[in-house]
Amino acid sequence: MKSTQLQAALTALAIAGSGVLVTEQAEAAPATTLQELVPQPAQVKPHPEITFTLTNSAKIQVATPEAQKPAELLASILRPSTGYDLPIEQDKAPTDGIVLTAGADEKTGPEGYQLDVTPNQVVIRANTTAGHFNGIQTLRQLLPPQIEAKTRQHGPWHIPGASILDHPRYHHRGAMLDVSRHFFTPEQVKRYIDQIAAFKINYFHLHLTDDQGWRLEIESWPELTKIGGSTEVGGRTGELFYTQDQYRDLVAYAADRGITVIPEFDMPGHTNAAQASYAELNSDGEKKSLYTGIEVGFSSLCINEDITYRFVEDVIREVAAITPGPYLHIGGDEALSTPDADYQTFMDRVLPLVEKYGKTTVGWHEYIKTTEDTSVIPQFWGTTTTDDNVAAAAERGNKVLMSPANRIYLDMKYDKDTELGLDWAGHVEVKDSYSWNPGAYLNGVTEASVRGVEAPLWTETVQTSADIEYMAFPRLPVAAELGWAPASAHDWDRFAPALGAQAPRWRVQGVNFYASGQVPWKQ
């Protein structure tokens, strides 16, 4: 066998060995980027005899209205590095360039796509806007790493021949950013949104309130941001909050990348910033002092006061009105200063308010013990593989969002020498974050009961975008892989080189990633 034929065969075998369906063996071609995609697609068929080259005459042709926004995003990614105009045109029967159209195989479902690379065209077929967003992120990874540059590069811009049919394992593939412990500007948040979008993350959970800060303007309670949004962990002061217009802009920015924002207002605990803003939210009628430490469990709203529920309803009402997505996260964790009976009373009054304003409740898993409503979503963040309340909810029919802290909390230290992060859930190296199965992790919670996976990033020690990136990369792409790739593809020896192949892109983008010794990083 010739060396090129041998290499092609080995490449095909490597993809086949991943558990991904390969429908024909390559005969003769150098190694391609097909085995380096993260998340791994469901089905890949290499065409090693084919290469598509993006040239300066190329157009992005939209043959279905659902593809307009994804086409605009794709153009915004490709234009700076190529220097090409890449006009977006409406064409019902395009014959060349990059084509976004309908008519995908029904196997792709509501979020999947087909991507076919021919000598003259790259065609993405999807039946929804979400599918097109996911398809363009795969196309992006098939281009050389220099495509990520913000300045013009030389190319050439080759794309390997292939046919891909893809769809996610789970619907919910999330990332959370805590902007309460440390505040991040809208531009910093947008940078993170761009980074998570590249890996087909479709939910962005924004933790907006905690003991250390209240970060969103509530017009009916203005002191929440005037006072509660004036400081953070470590004592920095300023206007550390988002106006409602800034929040709307963040929500729209995420939506333009296929991402739904889930706002969180943590209660009945983690409420010191609110109680420092308004005396009437305290049982003794006196404002709390602002808090800039990192302890938890010491605060609680007044459960038996009507003013508490007027406050909560005003917050829910205003936030629901500016949040087009269907979900609102109410926290509910670590309410250590709220007796169990009071916690039940609080949830009995608050959960109907979320429904009243047209939203579905998401909450940290503790709250699920207070309700038998199967429409609400518990987010499991524990460090054990047993939780009777969550298992009972799954048995009733609730879908569980998986975020076990000792697997997928991005703020956990990688090892004892990691300067950033905490270690209360242990050290979480990259292989640790990969080596679990969301559909078989928690006793009593089967694959069918799992809604998806979310990777939270708490920011007690995280202060800059570089800090966010160091803790999130490479573990955020691991979470994306667990949420998207078929269970049959779960294999560290296959995944680690694919993860390592992201390094050249991150270097071009200026991402401050952690170069774990467990991963073979590509130069």
Side-chain angles (χ1 to χ4, degrees), residues 303-304 309 338-352 370:
I303 303 305
N304 297 312
Y309 301 98
T338 310
D340 287 348
D342 285 353
Y343 188 88
Q344 180 71 54
T345 297
F346 181 82
M347 291 298 172
D348 285 346
R349 294 191 64 171
V350 169
L351 295 180
T370 70

PDB file of all heavy atoms in Angstrom, residues 303-304 309 338-352 370:
ATOM      1  N   ILE A 303     -39.086  35.136  55.341  1.00  0.00           N
ATOM      2  CA  ILE A 303     -40.038  34.237  54.695  1.00  0.00           C
ATOM      3  C   ILE A 303     -41.489  34.622  54.972  1.00  0.00           C
ATOM      4  O   ILE A 303     -42.364  34.424  54.131  1.00  0.00           O
ATOM      5  CB  ILE A 303     -39.771  32.787  55.146  1.00  0.00           C
ATOM      6  CG1 ILE A 303     -38.321  32.396  54.838  1.00  0.00           C
ATOM      7  CG2 ILE A 303     -40.753  31.826  54.485  1.00  0.00           C
ATOM      8  CD1 ILE A 303     -37.897  32.561  53.400  1.00  0.00           C
ATOM      9  N   ASN A 304     -41.767  35.186  56.122  1.00  0.00           N
ATOM     10  CA  ASN A 304     -43.153  35.417  56.526  1.00  0.00           C
ATOM     11  C   ASN A 304     -43.615  36.860  56.368  1.00  0.00           C
ATOM     12  O   ASN A 304     -44.650  37.248  56.909  1.00  0.00           O
ATOM     13  CB  ASN A 304     -43.341  34.967  57.979  1.00  0.00           C
ATOM     14  CG  ASN A 304     -43.107  33.473  58.137  1.00  0.00           C
ATOM     15  OD1 ASN A 304     -43.637  32.681  57.361  1.00  0.00           O
ATOM     16  ND2 ASN A 304     -42.284  33.105  59.118  1.00  0.00           N
ATOM     17  N   TYR A 309     -42.392  39.008  49.182  1.00  0.00           N
ATOM     18  CA  TYR A 309     -42.981  38.454  47.965  1.00  0.00           C
ATOM     19  C   TYR A 309     -43.357  39.546  46.971  1.00  0.00           C
ATOM     20  O   TYR A 309     -43.374  39.299  45.758  1.00  0.00           O
ATOM     21  CB  TYR A 309     -44.159  37.551  48.332  1.00  0.00           C
ATOM     22  CG  TYR A 309     -43.673  36.443  49.233  1.00  0.00           C
ATOM     23  CD1 TYR A 309     -43.828  36.534  50.621  1.00  0.00           C
ATOM     24  CD2 TYR A 309     -42.969  35.364  48.717  1.00  0.00           C
ATOM     25  CE1 TYR A 309     -43.324  35.549  51.462  1.00  0.00           C
ATOM     26  CE2 TYR A 309     -42.464  34.373  49.545  1.00  0.00           C
ATOM     27  CZ  TYR A 309     -42.633  34.472  50.917  1.00  0.00           C
ATOM     28  OH  TYR A 309     -42.113  33.505  51.748  1.00  0.00           O
ATOM     29  N   THR A 338     -32.111  29.353  56.267  1.00  0.00           N
ATOM     30  CA  THR A 338     -33.566  29.261  56.083  1.00  0.00           C
ATOM     31  C   THR A 338     -34.034  27.895  56.568  1.00  0.00           C
ATOM     32  O   THR A 338     -33.682  26.878  55.966  1.00  0.00           O
ATOM     33  CB  THR A 338     -33.946  29.417  54.602  1.00  0.00           C
ATOM     34  OG1 THR A 338     -33.308  30.586  54.057  1.00  0.00           O
ATOM     35  CG2 THR A 338     -35.449  29.541  54.440  1.00  0.00           C
ATOM     36  N   PRO A 339     -34.799  27.823  57.652  1.00  0.00           N
ATOM     37  CA  PRO A 339     -35.299  26.525  58.127  1.00  0.00           C
ATOM     38  C   PRO A 339     -36.090  25.805  57.031  1.00  0.00           C
ATOM     39  O   PRO A 339     -36.675  26.441  56.145  1.00  0.00           O
ATOM     40  CB  PRO A 339     -36.199  26.895  59.314  1.00  0.00           C
ATOM     41  CG  PRO A 339     -35.686  28.231  59.769  1.00  0.00           C
ATOM     42  CD  PRO A 339     -35.225  28.938  58.526  1.00  0.00           C
ATOM     43  N   ASP A 340     -36.116  24.485  57.101  1.00  0.00           N
ATOM     44  CA  ASP A 340     -36.761  23.695  56.059  1.00  0.00           C
ATOM     45  C   ASP A 340     -38.211  24.096  55.830  1.00  0.00           C
ATOM     46  O   ASP A 340     -38.665  24.187  54.678  1.00  0.00           O
ATOM     47  CB  ASP A 340     -36.692  22.207  56.408  1.00  0.00           C
ATOM     48  CG  ASP A 340     -35.289  21.650  56.222  1.00  0.00           C
ATOM     49  OD1 ASP A 340     -34.445  22.336  55.629  1.00  0.00           O
ATOM     50  OD2 ASP A 340     -35.046  20.504  56.681  1.00  0.00           O
ATOM     51  N   ALA A 341     -38.938  24.322  56.927  1.00  0.00           N
ATOM     52  CA  ALA A 341     -40.357  24.690  56.779  1.00  0.00           C
ATOM     53  C   ALA A 341     -40.498  26.034  56.074  1.00  0.00           C
ATOM     54  O   ALA A 341     -41.395  26.228  55.238  1.00  0.00           O
ATOM     55  CB  ALA A 341     -41.037  24.727  58.144  1.00  0.00           C
ATOM     56  N   ASP A 342     -39.616  26.967  56.411  1.00  0.00           N
ATOM     57  CA  ASP A 342     -39.646  28.280  55.752  1.00  0.00           C
ATOM     58  C   ASP A 342     -39.246  28.167  54.280  1.00  0.00           C
ATOM     59  O   ASP A 342     -39.799  28.862  53.412  1.00  0.00           O
ATOM     60  CB  ASP A 342     -38.705  29.251  56.463  1.00  0.00           C
ATOM     61  CG  ASP A 342     -39.275  29.744  57.791  1.00  0.00           C
ATOM     62  OD1 ASP A 342     -40.444  29.440  58.080  1.00  0.00           O
ATOM     63  OD2 ASP A 342     -38.547  30.435  58.519  1.00  0.00           O
ATOM     64  N   TYR A 343     -38.295  27.308  54.002  1.00  0.00           N
ATOM     65  CA  TYR A 343     -37.864  27.093  52.617  1.00  0.00           C
ATOM     66  C   TYR A 343     -39.034  26.573  51.778  1.00  0.00           C
ATOM     67  O   TYR A 343     -39.271  27.041  50.656  1.00  0.00           O
ATOM     68  CB  TYR A 343     -36.706  26.094  52.605  1.00  0.00           C
ATOM     69  CG  TYR A 343     -36.024  25.894  51.271  1.00  0.00           C
ATOM     70  CD1 TYR A 343     -34.972  26.709  50.871  1.00  0.00           C
ATOM     71  CD2 TYR A 343     -36.407  24.868  50.413  1.00  0.00           C
ATOM     72  CE1 TYR A 343     -34.327  26.520  49.662  1.00  0.00           C
ATOM     73  CE2 TYR A 343     -35.779  24.664  49.195  1.00  0.00           C
ATOM     74  CZ  TYR A 343     -34.739  25.496  48.828  1.00  0.00           C
ATOM     75  OH  TYR A 343     -34.111  25.304  47.626  1.00  0.00           O
ATOM     76  N   GLN A 344     -39.790  25.638  52.347  1.00  0.00           N
ATOM     77  CA  GLN A 344     -40.963  25.114  51.657  1.00  0.00           C
ATOM     78  C   GLN A 344     -42.000  26.214  51.430  1.00  0.00           C
ATOM     79  O   GLN A 344     -42.550  26.349  50.337  1.00  0.00           O
ATOM     80  CB  GLN A 344     -41.597  23.982  52.473  1.00  0.00           C
ATOM     81  CG  GLN A 344     -42.834  23.357  51.844  1.00  0.00           C
ATOM     82  CD  GLN A 344     -42.525  22.512  50.634  1.00  0.00           C
ATOM     83  OE1 GLN A 344     -41.710  21.605  50.706  1.00  0.00           O
ATOM     84  NE2 GLN A 344     -43.189  22.795  49.508  1.00  0.00           N
ATOM     85  N   THR A 345     -42.243  27.019  52.468  1.00  0.00           N
ATOM     86  CA  THR A 345     -43.193  28.125  52.353  1.00  0.00           C
ATOM     87  C   THR A 345     -42.782  29.093  51.251  1.00  0.00           C
ATOM     88  O   THR A 345     -43.607  29.540  50.438  1.00  0.00           O
ATOM     89  CB  THR A 345     -43.295  28.874  53.690  1.00  0.00           C
ATOM     90  OG1 THR A 345     -43.804  27.979  54.687  1.00  0.00           O
ATOM     91  CG2 THR A 345     -44.202  30.086  53.581  1.00  0.00           C
ATOM     92  N   PHE A 346     -41.498  29.410  51.230  1.00  0.00           N
ATOM     93  CA  PHE A 346     -40.988  30.347  50.233  1.00  0.00           C
ATOM     94  C   PHE A 346     -41.212  29.810  48.820  1.00  0.00           C
ATOM     95  O   PHE A 346     -41.734  30.514  47.940  1.00  0.00           O
ATOM     96  CB  PHE A 346     -39.495  30.604  50.486  1.00  0.00           C
ATOM     97  CG  PHE A 346     -38.869  31.573  49.521  1.00  0.00           C
ATOM     98  CD1 PHE A 346     -38.997  32.943  49.717  1.00  0.00           C
ATOM     99  CD2 PHE A 346     -38.161  31.120  48.414  1.00  0.00           C
ATOM    100  CE1 PHE A 346     -38.425  33.846  48.814  1.00  0.00           C
ATOM    101  CE2 PHE A 346     -37.590  32.008  47.523  1.00  0.00           C
ATOM    102  CZ  PHE A 346     -37.720  33.374  47.726  1.00  0.00           C
ATOM    103  N   MET A 347     -40.831  28.569  48.589  1.00  0.00           N
ATOM    104  CA  MET A 347     -40.976  28.001  47.252  1.00  0.00           C
ATOM    105  C   MET A 347     -42.451  27.859  46.857  1.00  0.00           C
ATOM    106  O   MET A 347     -42.811  28.043  45.688  1.00  0.00           O
ATOM    107  CB  MET A 347     -40.253  26.659  47.159  1.00  0.00           C
ATOM    108  CG  MET A 347     -38.735  26.783  47.220  1.00  0.00           C
ATOM    109  SD  MET A 347     -38.086  27.764  45.829  1.00  0.00           S
ATOM    110  CE  MET A 347     -36.348  27.936  46.324  1.00  0.00           C
ATOM    111  N   ASP A 348     -43.301  27.560  47.830  1.00  0.00           N
ATOM    112  CA  ASP A 348     -44.730  27.455  47.529  1.00  0.00           C
ATOM    113  C   ASP A 348     -45.289  28.764  46.996  1.00  0.00           C
ATOM    114  O   ASP A 348     -46.225  28.772  46.183  1.00  0.00           O
ATOM    115  CB  ASP A 348     -45.505  27.045  48.791  1.00  0.00           C
ATOM    116  CG  ASP A 348     -45.328  25.581  49.144  1.00  0.00           C
ATOM    117  OD1 ASP A 348     -44.838  24.814  48.294  1.00  0.00           O
ATOM    118  OD2 ASP A 348     -45.674  25.206  50.288  1.00  0.00           O
ATOM    119  N   ARG A 349     -44.724  29.870  47.433  1.00  0.00           N
ATOM    120  CA  ARG A 349     -45.204  31.171  46.980  1.00  0.00           C
ATOM    121  C   ARG A 349     -44.479  31.678  45.731  1.00  0.00           C
ATOM    122  O   ARG A 349     -45.063  32.393  44.912  1.00  0.00           O
ATOM    123  CB  ARG A 349     -45.078  32.201  48.113  1.00  0.00           C
ATOM    124  CG  ARG A 349     -45.984  31.898  49.294  1.00  0.00           C
ATOM    125  CD  ARG A 349     -46.061  33.051  50.282  1.00  0.00           C
ATOM    126  NE  ARG A 349     -46.668  34.258  49.708  1.00  0.00           N
ATOM    127  CZ  ARG A 349     -46.997  35.330  50.436  1.00  0.00           C
ATOM    128  NH1 ARG A 349     -46.787  35.330  51.763  1.00  0.00           N
ATOM    129  NH2 ARG A 349     -47.532  36.395  49.856  1.00  0.00           N
ATOM    130  N   VAL A 350     -43.214  31.304  45.580  1.00  0.00           N
ATOM    131  CA  VAL A 350     -42.407  31.869  44.496  1.00  0.00           C
ATOM    132  C   VAL A 350     -42.559  31.093  43.186  1.00  0.00           C
ATOM    133  O   VAL A 350     -42.633  31.706  42.106  1.00  0.00           O
ATOM    134  CB  VAL A 350     -40.926  31.939  44.925  1.00  0.00           C
ATOM    135  CG1 VAL A 350     -40.028  32.264  43.739  1.00  0.00           C
ATOM    136  CG2 VAL A 350     -40.763  32.996  46.020  1.00  0.00           C
ATOM    137  N   LEU A 351     -42.622  29.779  43.252  1.00  0.00           N
ATOM    138  CA  LEU A 351     -42.719  29.004  42.006  1.00  0.00           C
ATOM    139  C   LEU A 351     -43.931  29.405  41.167  1.00  0.00           C
ATOM    140  O   LEU A 351     -43.813  29.537  39.932  1.00  0.00           O
ATOM    141  CB  LEU A 351     -42.725  27.508  42.308  1.00  0.00           C
ATOM    142  CG  LEU A 351     -41.438  26.941  42.926  1.00  0.00           C
ATOM    143  CD1 LEU A 351     -41.571  25.441  43.176  1.00  0.00           C
ATOM    144  CD2 LEU A 351     -40.241  27.224  42.040  1.00  0.00           C
ATOM    145  N   PRO A 352     -45.106  29.635  41.773  1.00  0.00           N
ATOM    146  CA  PRO A 352     -46.243  30.094  40.955  1.00  0.00           C
ATOM    147  C   PRO A 352     -46.017  31.470  40.323  1.00  0.00           C
ATOM    148  O   PRO A 352     -46.602  31.770  39.269  1.00  0.00           O
ATOM    149  CB  PRO A 352     -47.414  30.127  41.948  1.00  0.00           C
ATOM    150  CG  PRO A 352     -47.034  29.152  43.019  1.00  0.00           C
ATOM    151  CD  PRO A 352     -45.547  29.297  43.143  1.00  0.00           C
ATOM    152  N   THR A 370     -39.367  20.580  47.071  1.00  0.00           N
ATOM    153  CA  THR A 370     -40.538  21.358  47.481  1.00  0.00           C
ATOM    154  C   THR A 370     -41.700  21.283  46.508  1.00  0.00           C
ATOM    155  O   THR A 370     -42.752  21.860  46.765  1.00  0.00           O
ATOM    156  CB  THR A 370     -40.164  22.846  47.666  1.00  0.00           C
ATOM    157  OG1 THR A 370     -39.891  23.431  46.370  1.00  0.00           O
ATOM    158  CG2 THR A 370     -38.956  23.009  48.571  1.00  0.00           C
TER     159      THR A 370
END
